[in-house]
Amino acid sequence: MSRLPLGTRQVVVVGRSDSPDLQEMNRRDVRAATDSGDDVDLIEDNGDHFTVIDPGSDIWVRAADEIVRRLSR
């Protein structure tokens, strides 16, 4: 957080089955980045730490769609 703002658009993805500590850490990081002026979106959906990298999962599809949307801006 001491390096914020990063000056780049970001998408943070976390599964709802991840540990509560990991979920809160990601939320805290997103808040800090947003407060510093960075353009950040948080995607939380069903799954765990590995579901977010499984192309067959809903959370992966949401993340991929968001990345495509951000790249097309």
Short mmCIF file of all heavy atoms in Angstrom, two decimals:
data_model
loop_
_atom_site.label_atom_id
_atom_site.label_comp_id
_atom_site.label_asym_id
_atom_site.label_seq_id
_atom_site.Cartn_x
_atom_site.Cartn_y
_atom_site.Cartn_z
N MET A 1 0.81 -1.19 0.00
CA MET A 1 0.00 0.00 0.00
C MET A 1 0.86 1.26 0.00
O MET A 1 0.40 2.31 -0.44
CB MET A 1 -0.92 -0.01 1.20
CG MET A 1 -2.09 -0.96 1.05
SD MET A 1 -3.35 -0.63 2.28
CE MET A 1 -3.57 -2.27 2.90
N SER A 2 2.09 1.12 0.44
CA SER A 2 2.96 2.30 0.48
C SER A 2 3.36 2.77 -0.91
O SER A 2 3.87 3.87 -1.06
CB SER A 2 4.21 2.01 1.31
OG SER A 2 4.99 1.00 0.69
N ARG A 3 3.09 1.96 -1.92
CA ARG A 3 3.45 2.33 -3.30
C ARG A 3 2.27 2.90 -4.09
O ARG A 3 2.38 3.13 -5.28
CB ARG A 3 4.02 1.13 -4.03
CG ARG A 3 5.32 0.68 -3.41
CD ARG A 3 5.89 -0.48 -4.13
NE ARG A 3 7.11 -0.88 -3.43
CZ ARG A 3 8.07 -1.56 -3.97
NH1 ARG A 3 7.96 -1.94 -5.22
NH2 ARG A 3 9.12 -1.89 -3.29
N LEU A 4 1.16 3.08 -3.42
CA LEU A 4 -0.03 3.62 -4.09
C LEU A 4 0.10 5.11 -4.27
O LEU A 4 0.71 5.78 -3.44
CB LEU A 4 -1.28 3.29 -3.27
CG LEU A 4 -1.63 1.82 -3.17
CD1 LEU A 4 -2.79 1.61 -2.21
CD2 LEU A 4 -1.95 1.23 -4.53
N PRO A 5 -0.47 5.65 -5.32
CA PRO A 5 -1.21 4.98 -6.38
C PRO A 5 -0.27 4.32 -7.39
O PRO A 5 0.83 4.79 -7.63
CB PRO A 5 -2.00 6.11 -7.03
CG PRO A 5 -1.15 7.32 -6.84
CD PRO A 5 -0.46 7.11 -5.51
N LEU A 6 -0.76 3.23 -7.97
CA LEU A 6 0.01 2.53 -8.99
C LEU A 6 -0.12 3.20 -10.35
O LEU A 6 0.73 3.04 -11.21
CB LEU A 6 -0.43 1.07 -9.10
CG LEU A 6 -0.22 0.21 -7.86
CD1 LEU A 6 -0.76 -1.19 -8.11
CD2 LEU A 6 1.23 0.18 -7.45
N GLY A 7 -1.24 3.90 -10.56
CA GLY A 7 -1.43 4.60 -11.82
C GLY A 7 -1.83 3.70 -12.96
O GLY A 7 -1.66 4.05 -14.13
N THR A 8 -2.38 2.54 -12.65
CA THR A 8 -2.84 1.62 -13.68
C THR A 8 -4.19 1.04 -13.28
O THR A 8 -4.49 0.91 -12.09
CB THR A 8 -1.81 0.49 -13.92
OG1 THR A 8 -2.21 -0.29 -15.03
CG2 THR A 8 -1.66 -0.39 -12.70
N ARG A 9 -5.00 0.74 -14.28
CA ARG A 9 -6.30 0.14 -13.99
C ARG A 9 -6.09 -1.27 -13.44
O ARG A 9 -5.20 -1.99 -13.89
CB ARG A 9 -7.14 0.08 -15.26
CG ARG A 9 -7.48 1.47 -15.78
CD ARG A 9 -8.26 1.41 -17.05
NE ARG A 9 -7.39 0.89 -18.10
CZ ARG A 9 -7.71 0.84 -19.39
NH1 ARG A 9 -8.88 1.27 -19.79
NH2 ARG A 9 -6.87 0.37 -20.28
N GLN A 10 -6.91 -1.63 -12.47
CA GLN A 10 -6.74 -2.92 -11.80
C GLN A 10 -8.08 -3.63 -11.63
O GLN A 10 -9.10 -2.99 -11.42
CB GLN A 10 -6.13 -2.72 -10.42
CG GLN A 10 -4.81 -1.98 -10.43
CD GLN A 10 -4.51 -1.40 -9.08
OE1 GLN A 10 -4.41 -2.14 -8.11
NE2 GLN A 10 -4.39 -0.09 -9.01
N VAL A 11 -8.02 -4.96 -11.69
CA VAL A 11 -9.16 -5.81 -11.37
C VAL A 11 -8.66 -6.80 -10.32
O VAL A 11 -7.71 -7.53 -10.57
CB VAL A 11 -9.68 -6.57 -12.61
CG1 VAL A 11 -10.84 -7.49 -12.22
CG2 VAL A 11 -10.10 -5.60 -13.70
N VAL A 12 -9.29 -6.78 -9.16
CA VAL A 12 -8.94 -7.70 -8.08
C VAL A 12 -10.06 -8.73 -8.00
O VAL A 12 -11.24 -8.38 -7.93
CB VAL A 12 -8.77 -6.95 -6.75
CG1 VAL A 12 -8.49 -7.91 -5.61
CG2 VAL A 12 -7.67 -5.90 -6.87
N VAL A 13 -9.68 -10.01 -7.99
CA VAL A 13 -10.66 -11.09 -8.02
C VAL A 13 -10.45 -11.97 -6.79
O VAL A 13 -9.33 -12.41 -6.53
CB VAL A 13 -10.51 -11.93 -9.31
CG1 VAL A 13 -11.59 -12.99 -9.38
CG2 VAL A 13 -10.54 -11.04 -10.54
N VAL A 14 -11.53 -12.23 -6.06
CA VAL A 14 -11.44 -13.06 -4.86
C VAL A 14 -12.66 -13.96 -4.77
O VAL A 14 -13.78 -13.54 -5.07
CB VAL A 14 -11.28 -12.19 -3.58
CG1 VAL A 14 -12.48 -11.31 -3.36
CG2 VAL A 14 -10.99 -13.04 -2.36
N GLY A 15 -12.42 -15.21 -4.41
CA GLY A 15 -13.51 -16.16 -4.23
C GLY A 15 -14.14 -16.04 -2.86
O GLY A 15 -13.45 -15.80 -1.86
N ARG A 16 -15.44 -16.21 -2.80
CA ARG A 16 -16.15 -16.13 -1.51
C ARG A 16 -15.78 -17.27 -0.57
O ARG A 16 -16.02 -17.18 0.63
CB ARG A 16 -17.66 -16.12 -1.75
CG ARG A 16 -18.13 -14.83 -2.38
CD ARG A 16 -19.65 -14.77 -2.46
NE ARG A 16 -20.05 -13.59 -3.18
CZ ARG A 16 -20.87 -13.59 -4.23
NH1 ARG A 16 -21.38 -14.73 -4.65
NH2 ARG A 16 -21.16 -12.47 -4.83
N SER A 17 -15.20 -18.34 -1.09
CA SER A 17 -14.77 -19.45 -0.24
C SER A 17 -13.31 -19.30 0.19
O SER A 17 -12.80 -20.17 0.90
CB SER A 17 -14.95 -20.79 -0.97
OG SER A 17 -16.32 -21.01 -1.23
N ASP A 18 -12.64 -18.24 -0.25
CA ASP A 18 -11.29 -17.98 0.24
C ASP A 18 -11.36 -17.68 1.73
O ASP A 18 -12.42 -17.37 2.27
CB ASP A 18 -10.67 -16.78 -0.48
CG ASP A 18 -9.99 -17.17 -1.79
OD1 ASP A 18 -9.52 -18.31 -1.88
OD2 ASP A 18 -9.93 -16.32 -2.69
N SER A 19 -10.23 -17.73 2.37
CA SER A 19 -10.20 -17.45 3.81
C SER A 19 -10.69 -16.02 4.07
O SER A 19 -10.47 -15.12 3.25
CB SER A 19 -8.79 -17.62 4.36
OG SER A 19 -7.97 -16.55 3.94
N PRO A 20 -11.37 -15.82 5.18
CA PRO A 20 -11.83 -14.47 5.52
C PRO A 20 -10.69 -13.45 5.55
O PRO A 20 -10.88 -12.30 5.15
CB PRO A 20 -12.48 -14.64 6.90
CG PRO A 20 -12.90 -16.07 6.92
CD PRO A 20 -11.84 -16.81 6.15
N ASP A 21 -9.51 -13.87 5.99
CA ASP A 21 -8.37 -12.96 6.01
C ASP A 21 -7.99 -12.51 4.61
O ASP A 21 -7.70 -11.33 4.38
CB ASP A 21 -7.15 -13.61 6.68
CG ASP A 21 -7.33 -13.81 8.17
OD1 ASP A 21 -8.20 -13.13 8.76
OD2 ASP A 21 -6.61 -14.64 8.74
N LEU A 22 -7.98 -13.43 3.66
CA LEU A 22 -7.64 -13.09 2.28
C LEU A 22 -8.71 -12.18 1.67
O LEU A 22 -8.39 -11.21 0.98
CB LEU A 22 -7.46 -14.35 1.44
CG LEU A 22 -7.05 -14.14 -0.01
CD1 LEU A 22 -5.73 -13.38 -0.11
CD2 LEU A 22 -6.95 -15.48 -0.73
N GLN A 23 -9.96 -12.47 1.95
CA GLN A 23 -11.04 -11.62 1.45
C GLN A 23 -10.89 -10.20 1.98
O GLN A 23 -10.97 -9.23 1.21
CB GLN A 23 -12.40 -12.19 1.85
CG GLN A 23 -12.74 -13.49 1.17
CD GLN A 23 -14.04 -14.07 1.71
OE1 GLN A 23 -14.77 -13.44 2.46
NE2 GLN A 23 -14.32 -15.29 1.32
N GLU A 24 -10.67 -10.08 3.28
CA GLU A 24 -10.56 -8.74 3.88
C GLU A 24 -9.32 -8.01 3.40
O GLU A 24 -9.34 -6.81 3.16
CB GLU A 24 -10.58 -8.83 5.41
CG GLU A 24 -10.58 -7.48 6.08
CD GLU A 24 -11.67 -6.53 5.57
OE1 GLU A 24 -12.80 -6.98 5.27
OE2 GLU A 24 -11.38 -5.32 5.46
N MET A 25 -8.22 -8.73 3.22
CA MET A 25 -6.99 -8.11 2.71
C MET A 25 -7.23 -7.52 1.32
O MET A 25 -6.83 -6.39 1.04
CB MET A 25 -5.86 -9.14 2.64
CG MET A 25 -4.56 -8.56 2.10
SD MET A 25 -3.32 -9.82 1.78
CE MET A 25 -4.02 -10.65 0.36
N ASN A 26 -7.93 -8.26 0.47
CA ASN A 26 -8.22 -7.75 -0.87
C ASN A 26 -9.15 -6.56 -0.82
O ASN A 26 -8.95 -5.58 -1.55
CB ASN A 26 -8.81 -8.87 -1.74
CG ASN A 26 -7.75 -9.79 -2.26
OD1 ASN A 26 -6.92 -9.39 -3.07
ND2 ASN A 26 -7.74 -11.02 -1.80
N ARG A 27 -10.16 -6.60 0.03
CA ARG A 27 -11.08 -5.45 0.15
C ARG A 27 -10.33 -4.22 0.65
O ARG A 27 -10.54 -3.11 0.15
CB ARG A 27 -12.21 -5.80 1.11
CG ARG A 27 -13.16 -6.83 0.57
CD ARG A 27 -14.21 -7.21 1.59
NE ARG A 27 -14.98 -8.36 1.15
CZ ARG A 27 -15.29 -9.38 1.94
NH1 ARG A 27 -14.94 -9.39 3.22
NH2 ARG A 27 -15.99 -10.39 1.46
N ARG A 28 -9.46 -4.42 1.62
CA ARG A 28 -8.67 -3.30 2.17
C ARG A 28 -7.75 -2.72 1.10
O ARG A 28 -7.63 -1.50 0.96
CB ARG A 28 -7.87 -3.80 3.37
CG ARG A 28 -7.16 -2.73 4.13
CD ARG A 28 -6.48 -3.25 5.40
NE ARG A 28 -5.62 -4.39 5.15
CZ ARG A 28 -5.83 -5.63 5.62
NH1 ARG A 28 -6.88 -5.89 6.38
NH2 ARG A 28 -4.99 -6.61 5.34
N ASP A 29 -7.11 -3.59 0.32
CA ASP A 29 -6.23 -3.12 -0.75
C ASP A 29 -7.00 -2.34 -1.81
O ASP A 29 -6.53 -1.30 -2.29
CB ASP A 29 -5.50 -4.29 -1.41
CG ASP A 29 -4.43 -4.92 -0.52
OD1 ASP A 29 -4.11 -4.33 0.54
OD2 ASP A 29 -3.93 -5.99 -0.88
N VAL A 30 -8.18 -2.82 -2.17
CA VAL A 30 -9.01 -2.13 -3.16
C VAL A 30 -9.43 -0.75 -2.64
O VAL A 30 -9.36 0.24 -3.36
CB VAL A 30 -10.23 -2.98 -3.56
CG1 VAL A 30 -11.24 -2.16 -4.34
CG2 VAL A 30 -9.79 -4.19 -4.38
N ARG A 31 -9.85 -0.70 -1.38
CA ARG A 31 -10.23 0.61 -0.79
C ARG A 31 -9.06 1.58 -0.81
O ARG A 31 -9.20 2.74 -1.19
CB ARG A 31 -10.73 0.42 0.64
CG ARG A 31 -12.17 -0.04 0.75
CD ARG A 31 -12.70 0.06 2.18
NE ARG A 31 -11.90 -0.66 3.15
CZ ARG A 31 -12.08 -1.95 3.49
NH1 ARG A 31 -13.05 -2.64 2.92
NH2 ARG A 31 -11.31 -2.52 4.40
N ALA A 32 -7.89 1.10 -0.39
CA ALA A 32 -6.72 1.97 -0.34
C ALA A 32 -6.34 2.45 -1.74
O ALA A 32 -6.02 3.62 -1.94
CB ALA A 32 -5.55 1.25 0.31
N ALA A 33 -6.37 1.55 -2.71
CA ALA A 33 -6.01 1.93 -4.08
C ALA A 33 -7.02 2.92 -4.64
O ALA A 33 -6.65 3.92 -5.27
CB ALA A 33 -5.93 0.68 -4.97
N THR A 34 -8.30 2.67 -4.40
CA THR A 34 -9.33 3.59 -4.87
C THR A 34 -9.19 4.95 -4.20
O THR A 34 -9.27 5.99 -4.87
CB THR A 34 -10.73 2.99 -4.59
OG1 THR A 34 -10.84 1.74 -5.27
CG2 THR A 34 -11.83 3.92 -5.06
N ASP A 35 -8.97 4.94 -2.90
CA ASP A 35 -8.80 6.21 -2.17
C ASP A 35 -7.59 7.00 -2.65
O ASP A 35 -7.57 8.22 -2.58
CB ASP A 35 -8.67 5.95 -0.67
CG ASP A 35 -9.97 5.50 -0.03
OD1 ASP A 35 -11.04 5.58 -0.69
OD2 ASP A 35 -9.92 5.04 1.13
N SER A 36 -6.58 6.29 -3.18
CA SER A 36 -5.38 6.97 -3.68
C SER A 36 -5.56 7.50 -5.10
O SER A 36 -4.69 8.18 -5.63
CB SER A 36 -4.17 6.04 -3.63
OG SER A 36 -4.23 5.08 -4.69
N GLY A 37 -6.70 7.15 -5.72
CA GLY A 37 -6.98 7.64 -7.06
C GLY A 37 -6.87 6.60 -8.16
O GLY A 37 -7.11 6.89 -9.33
N ASP A 38 -6.48 5.36 -7.81
CA ASP A 38 -6.40 4.31 -8.82
C ASP A 38 -7.80 3.86 -9.24
O ASP A 38 -8.75 3.94 -8.47
CB ASP A 38 -5.63 3.10 -8.28
CG ASP A 38 -4.12 3.29 -8.34
OD1 ASP A 38 -3.65 4.15 -9.12
OD2 ASP A 38 -3.41 2.57 -7.61
N ASP A 39 -7.90 3.37 -10.46
CA ASP A 39 -9.14 2.84 -11.03
C ASP A 39 -9.15 1.33 -10.77
O ASP A 39 -8.44 0.58 -11.44
CB ASP A 39 -9.17 3.15 -12.53
CG ASP A 39 -10.40 2.63 -13.22
OD1 ASP A 39 -11.32 2.11 -12.56
OD2 ASP A 39 -10.44 2.73 -14.47
N VAL A 40 -9.92 0.91 -9.77
CA VAL A 40 -9.90 -0.48 -9.32
C VAL A 40 -11.31 -1.04 -9.22
O VAL A 40 -12.20 -0.37 -8.71
CB VAL A 40 -9.23 -0.61 -7.93
CG1 VAL A 40 -9.08 -2.07 -7.53
CG2 VAL A 40 -7.89 0.09 -7.89
N ASP A 41 -11.50 -2.25 -9.70
CA ASP A 41 -12.75 -2.98 -9.50
C ASP A 41 -12.46 -4.25 -8.72
O ASP A 41 -11.43 -4.89 -8.93
CB ASP A 41 -13.39 -3.38 -10.84
CG ASP A 41 -14.17 -2.25 -11.48
OD1 ASP A 41 -14.84 -1.50 -10.74
OD2 ASP A 41 -14.10 -2.12 -12.70
N LEU A 42 -13.37 -4.60 -7.83
CA LEU A 42 -13.28 -5.83 -7.05
C LEU A 42 -14.38 -6.76 -7.51
O LEU A 42 -15.55 -6.40 -7.54
CB LEU A 42 -13.46 -5.53 -5.56
CG LEU A 42 -13.54 -6.74 -4.63
CD1 LEU A 42 -12.23 -7.53 -4.65
CD2 LEU A 42 -13.88 -6.30 -3.21
N ILE A 43 -13.99 -7.96 -7.89
CA ILE A 43 -14.95 -9.00 -8.25
C ILE A 43 -14.89 -10.07 -7.17
O ILE A 43 -13.84 -10.65 -6.93
CB ILE A 43 -14.62 -9.62 -9.63
CG1 ILE A 43 -14.77 -8.57 -10.73
CG2 ILE A 43 -15.52 -10.82 -9.90
CD1 ILE A 43 -14.35 -9.05 -12.10
N GLU A 44 -16.01 -10.29 -6.53
CA GLU A 44 -16.15 -11.37 -5.56
C GLU A 44 -17.27 -12.28 -6.06
O GLU A 44 -18.34 -11.80 -6.44
CB GLU A 44 -16.51 -10.83 -4.18
CG GLU A 44 -15.40 -10.06 -3.52
CD GLU A 44 -15.74 -9.66 -2.10
OE1 GLU A 44 -15.82 -10.57 -1.24
OE2 GLU A 44 -15.94 -8.47 -1.87
N ASP A 45 -17.01 -13.57 -6.06
CA ASP A 45 -18.01 -14.51 -6.55
C ASP A 45 -17.74 -15.86 -5.91
O ASP A 45 -16.73 -16.04 -5.22
CB ASP A 45 -17.96 -14.60 -8.07
CG ASP A 45 -19.30 -14.98 -8.69
OD1 ASP A 45 -20.11 -15.64 -8.01
OD2 ASP A 45 -19.53 -14.66 -9.86
N ASN A 46 -18.61 -16.80 -6.18
CA ASN A 46 -18.44 -18.14 -5.63
C ASN A 46 -17.13 -18.76 -6.11
O ASN A 46 -16.74 -18.58 -7.25
CB ASN A 46 -19.61 -19.03 -6.03
CG ASN A 46 -20.92 -18.55 -5.45
OD1 ASN A 46 -20.95 -17.97 -4.38
ND2 ASN A 46 -22.00 -18.78 -6.17
N GLY A 47 -16.49 -19.46 -5.20
CA GLY A 47 -15.25 -20.14 -5.55
C GLY A 47 -14.19 -19.89 -4.50
O GLY A 47 -14.41 -19.20 -3.51
N ASP A 48 -13.03 -20.50 -4.76
CA ASP A 48 -11.92 -20.35 -3.84
C ASP A 48 -10.72 -19.78 -4.59
O ASP A 48 -10.85 -19.30 -5.72
CB ASP A 48 -11.58 -21.68 -3.17
CG ASP A 48 -11.20 -22.77 -4.16
OD1 ASP A 48 -10.74 -22.46 -5.29
OD2 ASP A 48 -11.33 -23.95 -3.81
N HIS A 49 -9.58 -19.88 -3.96
CA HIS A 49 -8.36 -19.28 -4.51
C HIS A 49 -8.01 -19.84 -5.89
O HIS A 49 -7.41 -19.14 -6.70
CB HIS A 49 -7.22 -19.52 -3.52
CG HIS A 49 -6.03 -18.67 -3.76
ND1 HIS A 49 -6.05 -17.29 -3.59
CD2 HIS A 49 -4.77 -18.98 -4.16
CE1 HIS A 49 -4.86 -16.81 -3.87
NE2 HIS A 49 -4.06 -17.79 -4.22
N PHE A 50 -8.38 -21.07 -6.16
CA PHE A 50 -8.03 -21.69 -7.45
C PHE A 50 -9.16 -21.59 -8.47
O PHE A 50 -8.90 -21.67 -9.67
CB PHE A 50 -7.60 -23.15 -7.23
CG PHE A 50 -6.36 -23.24 -6.40
CD1 PHE A 50 -6.43 -23.55 -5.06
CD2 PHE A 50 -5.12 -22.95 -6.95
CE1 PHE A 50 -5.28 -23.60 -4.28
CE2 PHE A 50 -3.96 -22.99 -6.18
CZ PHE A 50 -4.06 -23.32 -4.84
N THR A 51 -10.37 -21.39 -8.02
CA THR A 51 -11.49 -21.23 -8.94
C THR A 51 -11.30 -20.01 -9.83
O THR A 51 -11.71 -20.02 -10.99
CB THR A 51 -12.82 -21.12 -8.15
OG1 THR A 51 -12.91 -22.20 -7.24
CG2 THR A 51 -14.01 -21.14 -9.08
N VAL A 52 -10.67 -18.98 -9.30
CA VAL A 52 -10.51 -17.74 -10.06
C VAL A 52 -9.62 -17.92 -11.29
O VAL A 52 -9.66 -17.09 -12.20
CB VAL A 52 -9.99 -16.58 -9.19
CG1 VAL A 52 -10.92 -16.32 -8.03
CG2 VAL A 52 -8.58 -16.82 -8.70
N ILE A 53 -8.85 -19.01 -11.35
CA ILE A 53 -8.01 -19.26 -12.53
C ILE A 53 -8.50 -20.45 -13.36
O ILE A 53 -7.82 -20.91 -14.27
CB ILE A 53 -6.53 -19.46 -12.14
CG1 ILE A 53 -6.35 -20.65 -11.21
CG2 ILE A 53 -5.97 -18.17 -11.56
CD1 ILE A 53 -4.91 -21.05 -10.98
N ASP A 54 -9.71 -20.92 -13.06
CA ASP A 54 -10.32 -22.04 -13.80
C ASP A 54 -11.20 -21.47 -14.89
O ASP A 54 -12.25 -20.89 -14.60
CB ASP A 54 -11.13 -22.90 -12.84
CG ASP A 54 -11.90 -24.01 -13.53
OD1 ASP A 54 -11.79 -24.16 -14.77
OD2 ASP A 54 -12.62 -24.74 -12.82
N PRO A 55 -10.81 -21.62 -16.17
CA PRO A 55 -11.60 -21.04 -17.27
C PRO A 55 -13.03 -21.54 -17.34
O PRO A 55 -13.86 -20.92 -18.01
CB PRO A 55 -10.83 -21.43 -18.53
CG PRO A 55 -9.45 -21.74 -18.06
CD PRO A 55 -9.59 -22.26 -16.67
N GLY A 56 -13.35 -22.62 -16.66
CA GLY A 56 -14.72 -23.14 -16.66
C GLY A 56 -15.59 -22.56 -15.56
O GLY A 56 -16.78 -22.87 -15.49
N SER A 57 -15.04 -21.70 -14.72
CA SER A 57 -15.80 -21.16 -13.59
C SER A 57 -16.44 -19.82 -13.93
O SER A 57 -15.95 -19.07 -14.77
CB SER A 57 -14.90 -21.01 -12.36
OG SER A 57 -13.98 -19.95 -12.56
N ASP A 58 -17.53 -19.53 -13.24
CA ASP A 58 -18.23 -18.26 -13.44
C ASP A 58 -17.35 -17.07 -13.06
O ASP A 58 -17.37 -16.04 -13.73
CB ASP A 58 -19.53 -18.21 -12.63
CG ASP A 58 -20.58 -19.16 -13.16
OD1 ASP A 58 -20.48 -19.56 -14.34
OD2 ASP A 58 -21.50 -19.51 -12.41
N ILE A 59 -16.59 -17.20 -11.97
CA ILE A 59 -15.77 -16.07 -11.52
C ILE A 59 -14.66 -15.77 -12.54
O ILE A 59 -14.33 -14.62 -12.78
CB ILE A 59 -15.20 -16.31 -10.10
CG1 ILE A 59 -14.63 -15.01 -9.53
CG2 ILE A 59 -14.21 -17.44 -10.07
CD1 ILE A 59 -14.28 -15.09 -8.05
N TRP A 60 -14.13 -16.80 -13.17
CA TRP A 60 -13.11 -16.58 -14.21
C TRP A 60 -13.72 -15.85 -15.39
O TRP A 60 -13.12 -14.91 -15.92
CB TRP A 60 -12.51 -17.91 -14.66
CG TRP A 60 -11.35 -17.75 -15.58
CD1 TRP A 60 -10.04 -17.67 -15.23
CD2 TRP A 60 -11.39 -17.64 -17.01
NE1 TRP A 60 -9.25 -17.52 -16.35
CE2 TRP A 60 -10.06 -17.50 -17.46
CE3 TRP A 60 -12.41 -17.64 -17.95
CZ2 TRP A 60 -9.74 -17.36 -18.80
CZ3 TRP A 60 -12.09 -17.51 -19.29
CH2 TRP A 60 -10.76 -17.37 -19.70
N VAL A 61 -14.92 -16.26 -15.79
CA VAL A 61 -15.59 -15.61 -16.92
C VAL A 61 -15.87 -14.15 -16.59
O VAL A 61 -15.64 -13.26 -17.41
CB VAL A 61 -16.89 -16.36 -17.29
CG1 VAL A 61 -17.72 -15.57 -18.29
CG2 VAL A 61 -16.57 -17.75 -17.82
N ARG A 62 -16.34 -13.87 -15.36
CA ARG A 62 -16.59 -12.47 -14.96
C ARG A 62 -15.30 -11.66 -15.01
O ARG A 62 -15.30 -10.52 -15.49
CB ARG A 62 -17.17 -12.41 -13.55
CG ARG A 62 -18.63 -12.78 -13.48
CD ARG A 62 -19.20 -12.54 -12.11
NE ARG A 62 -19.10 -11.14 -11.73
CZ ARG A 62 -19.17 -10.70 -10.49
NH1 ARG A 62 -19.35 -11.54 -9.49
NH2 ARG A 62 -19.07 -9.41 -10.22
N ALA A 63 -14.22 -12.23 -14.51
CA ALA A 63 -12.94 -11.52 -14.51
C ALA A 63 -12.46 -11.27 -15.95
O ALA A 63 -12.03 -10.16 -16.27
CB ALA A 63 -11.89 -12.31 -13.73
N ALA A 64 -12.55 -12.28 -16.79
CA ALA A 64 -12.13 -12.12 -18.19
C ALA A 64 -12.97 -11.06 -18.89
O ALA A 64 -12.44 -10.22 -19.63
CB ALA A 64 -12.21 -13.46 -18.93
N ASP A 65 -14.28 -11.08 -18.66
CA ASP A 65 -15.16 -10.08 -19.27
C ASP A 65 -14.80 -8.67 -18.80
O ASP A 65 -14.79 -7.72 -19.60
CB ASP A 65 -16.63 -10.37 -18.94
CG ASP A 65 -17.19 -11.56 -19.68
OD1 ASP A 65 -16.54 -12.05 -20.64
OD2 ASP A 65 -18.29 -12.03 -19.28
N GLU A 66 -14.48 -8.53 -17.51
CA GLU A 66 -14.12 -7.22 -16.99
C GLU A 66 -12.80 -6.74 -17.58
O GLU A 66 -12.65 -5.56 -17.91
CB GLU A 66 -14.04 -7.25 -15.46
CG GLU A 66 -13.66 -5.93 -14.83
CD GLU A 66 -14.64 -4.80 -15.13
OE1 GLU A 66 -15.80 -5.06 -15.49
OE2 GLU A 66 -14.23 -3.63 -14.99
N ILE A 67 -11.86 -7.63 -17.74
CA ILE A 67 -10.57 -7.25 -18.34
C ILE A 67 -10.78 -6.80 -19.78
O ILE A 67 -10.24 -5.76 -20.20
CB ILE A 67 -9.58 -8.42 -18.24
CG1 ILE A 67 -9.18 -8.63 -16.77
CG2 ILE A 67 -8.34 -8.15 -19.12
CD1 ILE A 67 -8.45 -9.94 -16.51
N VAL A 68 -11.57 -7.54 -20.54
CA VAL A 68 -11.86 -7.16 -21.93
C VAL A 68 -12.55 -5.80 -21.95
O VAL A 68 -12.21 -4.93 -22.76
CB VAL A 68 -12.71 -8.24 -22.63
CG1 VAL A 68 -13.26 -7.72 -23.96
CG2 VAL A 68 -11.91 -9.50 -22.83
N ARG A 69 -13.52 -5.60 -21.06
CA ARG A 69 -14.23 -4.31 -21.00
C ARG A 69 -13.25 -3.16 -20.72
O ARG A 69 -13.28 -2.13 -21.38
CB ARG A 69 -15.30 -4.35 -19.92
CG ARG A 69 -16.18 -3.11 -19.88
CD ARG A 69 -17.15 -3.14 -18.71
NE ARG A 69 -16.50 -2.91 -17.43
CZ ARG A 69 -16.10 -1.72 -16.97
NH1 ARG A 69 -16.26 -0.64 -17.72
NH2 ARG A 69 -15.53 -1.60 -15.80
N ARG A 70 -12.35 -3.38 -19.78
CA ARG A 70 -11.41 -2.33 -19.42
C ARG A 70 -10.40 -2.06 -20.55
O ARG A 70 -10.01 -0.92 -20.76
CB ARG A 70 -10.67 -2.71 -18.14
CG ARG A 70 -11.53 -2.53 -16.93
CD ARG A 70 -10.86 -3.06 -15.68
NE ARG A 70 -11.47 -2.43 -14.53
CZ ARG A 70 -11.00 -1.33 -13.95
NH1 ARG A 70 -9.91 -0.76 -14.37
NH2 ARG A 70 -11.63 -0.80 -12.94
N LEU A 71 -10.01 -3.08 -21.25
CA LEU A 71 -9.06 -2.90 -22.34
C LEU A 71 -9.70 -2.19 -23.54
O LEU A 71 -8.99 -1.57 -24.34
CB LEU A 71 -8.46 -4.23 -22.78
CG LEU A 71 -7.48 -4.88 -21.81
CD1 LEU A 71 -7.10 -6.27 -22.28
CD2 LEU A 71 -6.24 -4.00 -21.62
N SER A 72 -11.00 -2.28 -23.65
CA SER A 72 -11.67 -1.66 -24.80
C SER A 72 -12.05 -0.20 -24.55
O SER A 72 -12.58 0.46 -25.43
CB SER A 72 -12.93 -2.47 -25.17
OG SER A 72 -13.89 -2.40 -24.14
N ARG A 73 -11.74 0.31 -23.36
CA ARG A 73 -12.06 1.71 -23.06
C ARG A 73 -11.05 2.62 -23.68
O ARG A 73 -9.92 2.38 -23.87
CB ARG A 73 -12.06 1.98 -21.56
CG ARG A 73 -13.19 1.39 -20.84
CD ARG A 73 -13.41 2.03 -19.51
NE ARG A 73 -12.71 1.27 -18.46
CZ ARG A 73 -12.70 1.63 -17.20
NH1 ARG A 73 -13.27 2.73 -16.84
NH2 ARG A 73 -12.11 0.91 -16.30
#
